[in-house]
């Protein structure tokens, strides 16, 4: 069992009322008792993050499950001599004679259209259970049966409710999501970027902590050495307001160079940007300061429509509903209250995300150095289909496109330092509620995440609450890669996989001066190949 069942206290009481007796106060015993009482249906009762396997001797089977969104990983492979599973890929590698890269996934990664496949890994023959799925391995027939137990659905009652009613419901759900994730017998802290999500969680957690503690609540901020993407001045506002114990992680280029190999080991698969290294150092800072549980704001942008592309999905839906006046009004408001989205940028977003042909051409033009360039790209087509409405885009990003890689990065980085990260924004009640809200309650007058901004009034400084810009979690990648250019080129040149997938001669002719994101992906792939001794491509 890997993870936490946050509502184990409530489940324990319910199970006790059904006549069950407990010998411990642990969530693990609650999980076992829940399975005995409700069978496979027990997962519907759980509010938490998990991957677990239960050997059911009575039914002669192994029952495995992974939480709704895939916060915790579960890898498996089947061979002639047995069925293997674990929460790390490296555990399974010891059971394989050779290590072969999954060609299809490598190519999609280099195209820049996938960061995490929901069912496959970069290692050929090693699969993973998708989030929101159960798996049964029959010990008699050796058959594997995977079924889905969770899919995001639209709640009509939420959609029909007025703003004031939903605002009160949001406050309750958000506060409870943070509260049950504060349950711990070890030190709890929080990530604090200075953005809306992390500031909201930090404010709530600090209030709860101050009620029963004599020590200050700890917050960790990742500070970039590049002024353009440094948000620490916003984080400092929250720190001052709640008198937090502020821990700043500001890794230098030397820190980056010294730990890139460690991050590659921790991640187990290639990753798409240096921000993952930045996050690794946040987790290291937590460990150095004795923080064992760390709250984070992952999921807030997907649940409450924080990304600019949601304006496009909203606009397209209004046009299909023939709400021309509302569409034009929202465009004007968007321009006023979002620092990123002027009409020109909006038009580019509209073309890029809505039309698979346009985006495919751009991806292929950017990937001119790859030998295998498909005529169409499934991920791009799926994105275009998802852009037809805000809800379909939210569902697609939460379940498939955007959230899965972010959760992998977070879990691998945190667990490599024995840190448990907990994500209040992914409380299943909050997700179902947020995604079912009427769009105008999430986007109003050009503001994204409107209900969140209103719901934290009085808790978070207005300078953060009504921020017009969004920086995101960024590393000083330009600085790092400029200084690391020679080492990156050397790694790429020495990679047999890169040599097979890309035209190195053409890259040499350009002195490896090309798209920065593509350059990073080639480097990450080369580092992964070397670190895990990949012998061939499938």
């Amino acid at each position: 069992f890997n993870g936490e069942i946050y509502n184990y206290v409530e489940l324990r009481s319910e199970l006790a009322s059904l006549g069950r007796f407990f010998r411990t106060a642990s969530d693990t015993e609650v999980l076992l008792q829940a399975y005995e009482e409700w069978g496979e249906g027990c997962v519907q009762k759980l509010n938490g993050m998990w991957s677990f396997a239960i050997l059911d001797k009575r039914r002669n089977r192994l029952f495995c499950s992974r939480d709704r969104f895939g916060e915790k990983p579960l890898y498996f492979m089947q061979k002639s001599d047995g069925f293997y599973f674990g929460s790390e890929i490296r555990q399974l590698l010891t059971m394989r004679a050779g290590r072969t890269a999954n060609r299809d996934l490598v190519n999609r990664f280099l195209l820049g259209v996938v960061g995490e496949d929901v069912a496959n890994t970069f290692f050929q023959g090693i699969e993973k259970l998708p989030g929101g799925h159960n798996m049964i391995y029959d010990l008699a027939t050796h058959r594997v049966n995977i079924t889905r137990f969770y899919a995001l659905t639209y709640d009509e009652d939420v959609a029909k409710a007025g703003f004031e009613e939903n605002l009160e419901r949001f406050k309750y759900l958000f506060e409870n999501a943070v509260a049950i994730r504060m349950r711990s017998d070890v030190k709890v802290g929080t990530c604090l970027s200075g953005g809306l999500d992390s500031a909201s969680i930090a404010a709530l957690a600090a209030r709860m902590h101050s009620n029963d503690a004599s020590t200050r609540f700890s917050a960790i901020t990742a500070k970039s050495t590049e002024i353009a993407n440094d948000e620490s001045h916003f984080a400092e506002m929250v720190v001052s307001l709640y008198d937090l114990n502020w821990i700043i992680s500001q890794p230098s280029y030397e820190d980056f160079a010294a730990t890139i190999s460690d991050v590659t080991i921790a991640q187990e698969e290639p990753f798409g940007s240096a921000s993952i290294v930045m996050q690794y150092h946040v987790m290291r800072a937590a460990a150095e300061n004795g923080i064992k549980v760390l709250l984070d704001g992952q999921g807030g942008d997907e649940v409450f429509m924080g990304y600019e592309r949601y304006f496009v999905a909203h606009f397209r839906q209004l046009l299909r509903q023939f709400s021309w006046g509302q569409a034009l009004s929202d465009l004007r408001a968007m321009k006023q209250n979002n620092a990123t989205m002027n009409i020109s940028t909006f038009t580019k977003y509209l073309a890029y995300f809505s039309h698979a042909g346009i985006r495919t051409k751009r991806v292929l033009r950017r990937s001119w150095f790859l030998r295998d360039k498909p005529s169409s790209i499934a991920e791009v087509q799926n994105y275009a289909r998802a852009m037809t409405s805000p809800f379909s885009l939210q569902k697609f990003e939460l379940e498939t496109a955007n959230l899965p890689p972010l959760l992998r990065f977070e879990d691998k980085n945190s667990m490599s330092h024995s840190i448990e990260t907990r994500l209040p924004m992914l409380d299943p009640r909050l997700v179902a509620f947020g995604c079912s809200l009427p769009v105008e309650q999430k986007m109003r007058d050009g503001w994204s995440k409107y209900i969140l901004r209103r719901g934290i009034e009085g808790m978070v400084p207005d300078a953060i609450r009504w921020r017009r810009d969004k920086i995101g979690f960024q590393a000083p990648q330009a600085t790092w890669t400029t200084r690391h250019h020679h080492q990156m080129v050397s790694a790429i040149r020495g990679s047999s996989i890169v040599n097979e997938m890309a035209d190195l001669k053409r890259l040499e002719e350009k002195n490896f001066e090309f798209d920065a994101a593509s350059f990073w992906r080639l480097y990450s792939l080369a580092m992964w190949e070397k670190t895990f001794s990949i012998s061939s491509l499938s």
Side-chain angles (χ1 to χ4, degrees), residues 301-302 307 309-310 353 383 392-404:
D301 286 317
E302 291 83 1
Y307 296 122
R309 51 187 172 269
Y310 284 106
F353 286 105
Y383 236 116
S392 62
L393 181 57
Q394 287 179 283
K395 182 178 174 67
F396 179 62
E397 294 207 317
L398 281 163
E399 296 178 350
T400 306
N402 206 61
L403 188 64

Side-chain angles (χ1 to χ4, degrees), residues 107 165 319 340:
N107 195 58
E165 179 183 346
L319 293 185
T340 304

Side-chain angles (χ1 to χ4, degrees), residues 189-191 220 283 286 291-296 419-422:
T190 191
C191 294
I220 304 179
M283 301 306 169
I291 300 170
K292 304 302 292 182
V293 172
L294 202 59
L295 305 180
D296 202 357
I419 303 297
E420 182 176 278
T421 50
R422 301 178 178 180

Side-chain angles (χ1 to χ4, degrees), residues 121-188:
T121 73
F122 281 81
F123 295 87
Q124 186 66 28
I126 297 179
E127 302 173 68
K128 58 176 172 279
L129 185 64
H133 284 69
N134 292 334
M135 174 171 64
I136 293 176
Y137 175 71
D138 191 302
L139 295 168
T141 65
H142 306 295
R143 290 179 180 170
V144 175
N145 183 37
I146 296 176
T147 57
R148 185 168 203 154
F149 73 84
Y150 174 81
L152 183 63
T153 55
Y154 196 69
D155 188 332
E156 291 290 348
D157 291 335
V158 174
K160 293 175 182 176
F163 180 75
E164 293 302 325
E165 179 183 346
N166 277 337
L167 181 61
E168 291 307 308
R169 189 173 175 187
F170 163 77
K171 291 177 181 178
Y172 167 78
L173 289 174
F174 186 33
E175 183 173 341
N176 186 258
V178 173
I180 63 174
R181 284 162 180 78
M182 291 281 286
R183 291 172 172 171
S184 175
D185 53 5
V186 295
K187 187 175 180 179
V188 180

Side-chain angles (χ1 to χ4, degrees), residues 23 71 89 120 149 193 200-201 207 213 266 287 294 313 318 338 366 370 411 413 432 440 481 503 531-532 534:
R23 291 182 294 173
E71 293 179 56
I89 294 174
N120 300 291
F149 73 84
S193 68
S200 304
I201 292 170
R207 287 183 168 195
L294 202 59
L318 287 175
N338 187 289
R366 182 186 65 205
L370 291 182
D411 183 69
N413 277 336
E440 61 271 17
T481 55
D503 189 337
T531 301
F532 290 94
I534 308 300

Side-chain angles (χ1 to χ4, degrees), residues 8-140:
Y8 76 98
V9 174
E10 292 78 6
L11 284 177
R12 192 176 188 276
S13 296
E14 182 178 353
L15 287 163
S17 71
L18 295 173
R20 295 203 162 268
F21 297 93
F22 291 83
R23 291 182 294 173
T24 74
S26 72
D27 64 339
T28 305
E29 188 181 8
V30 169
L31 176 59
L32 285 167
Q33 295 266 28
Y35 177 74
E36 283 208 325
E37 183 69 32
W38 296 304
E40 296 171 38
C42 69
V43 295
Q44 302 290 355
K45 296 269 193 177
L46 307 180
N47 185 343
M49 56 178 182
W50 69 82
S51 66
F52 65 77
I54 297 176
L55 178 61
D56 189 334
K57 292 184 178 181
R58 286 195 293 266
R59 296 178 178 86
N60 199 33
R61 68 183 189 178
L62 187 74
F63 174 64
C64 306
S65 181
R66 190 177 180 197
D67 64 74
R68 293 171 179 84
F69 303 106
E71 293 179 56
K72 286 295 177 182
L74 200 163
Y75 302 100
F76 66 94
M77 69 177 185
Q78 195 162 8
K79 295 173 60 183
S80 58
D81 66 341
F83 179 75
Y84 299 86
F85 62 95
S87 34
E88 291 182 309
I89 294 174
R90 60 176 60 88
Q91 296 170 305
L92 306 186
L93 292 177
T94 62
M95 305 298 169
R96 298 182 65 86
R99 299 179 182 182
T100 303
N102 183 324
R103 180 184 293 270
D104 175 62
L105 192 47
V106 166
N107 195 58
R108 288 156 58 203
F109 172 73
L110 292 178
L111 284 168
V113 295
V114 65
E116 179 88 348
D117 187 285
V118 295
N120 300 291
T121 73
F122 281 81
F123 295 87
Q124 186 66 28
I126 297 179
E127 302 173 68
K128 58 176 172 279
L129 185 64
H133 284 69
N134 292 334
M135 174 171 64
I136 293 176
Y137 175 71
D138 191 302
L139 295 168

